[in-house]
């Protein structure tokens, strides 16, 4: 049952924690704060804000979701249904919550959509290979 849990819930929860101000005292402004600052060999300063880190986390999660979609089993359909519900939650929050109308949240929502579409596509493709018709 745990394997059917969609991993895209992680960036969704992280963003909502930041939006509620539980990750700092700035609320949604905390997404602008740099969490990584590196001096490059070229002399340039490279920084990554918390919102950018959320996107990187979501992309890593997307990789594992696509890997999960290649499995066939009883929990696969439940995973697709729950992934669709996570995307719907992203969409509803994007449309109805003022603090969710940001570029970071839109990109997270797009990654959740790619998770849903990619999961269905991979499952359909791999299910077609499981079917063997004997003559």
């Amino acid at each position: 049952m745990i394997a059917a849990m969609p991993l895209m819930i992680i960036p969704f929860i992280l963003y909502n924690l930041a939006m509620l101000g539980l990750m700092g005292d700035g609320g949604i402004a905390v997404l602008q704060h740099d969490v990584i600052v590196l001096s490059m060999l070229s002399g340039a300063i490279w920084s990554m804000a918390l919102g950018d880190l959320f996107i990187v986390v979501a992309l890593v999660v997307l990789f594992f979701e696509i890997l999960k979609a290649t499995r066939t089993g009883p929990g696969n359909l439940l995973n697709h249904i729950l992934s669709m519900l996570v995307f719907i939650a992203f969409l509803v929050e994007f449309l109805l919550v003022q603090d969710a109308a940001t570029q970071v949240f839109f990109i997270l929502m797009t990654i959740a959509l790619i998770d849903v579409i990619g999961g269905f596509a991979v499952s359909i493709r791999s299910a077609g290979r499981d079917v063997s018709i004997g003559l």
Side-chain angles (χ1 to χ4, degrees):
M1 188 65 159
I2 296 288
M5 183 63 69
L7 298 175
M8 280 304 296
I9 196 97
I10 296 168
F12 185 75
I13 290 171
L14 289 175
Y15 189 92
N16 282 304
L17 289 174
M19 188 173 59
L20 293 172
L22 299 177
M23 288 189 157
D25 47 23
I28 202 68
V30 74
L31 295 176
Q32 305 287 330
H33 295 143
D34 290 336
V35 291
I36 300 172
V37 179
L38 296 174
S39 178
M40 307 302 286
L41 291 175
S42 65
I45 302 295
W46 178 78
S47 63
M48 179 182 282
L50 184 62
D52 300 331
L53 185 61
F54 285 174
I55 293 170
V56 171
V57 167
L59 288 171
V60 171
V61 163
L62 177 64
F63 171 73
F64 287 108
E65 281 290 328
I66 297 298
L67 284 180
K68 280 177 35 179
T70 61
R71 292 181 297 132
T72 56
N76 204 13
L77 180 62
L78 181 60
N79 185 5
H80 292 316
I81 292 170
L82 293 175
S83 291
M84 178 65 84
L85 291 176
V86 169
F87 169 69
I88 291 170
F90 266 108
L91 183 62
V92 168
E93 189 167 329
F94 180 71
L95 294 174
L96 299 179
V97 178
Q98 187 174 8
D99 286 340
T102 65
Q103 293 86 352
V104 172
F105 196 81
F106 179 79
I107 293 169
L108 293 175
M109 181 181 67
T110 304
I111 292 170
L113 176 63
I114 292 169
D115 172 34
V116 170
I117 294 171
F120 280 124
V122 168
S123 292
I124 289 170
R125 189 79 164 158
S126 63
R129 291 184 183 165
D130 288 343
V131 176
S132 62
I133 301 173
L135 294 173

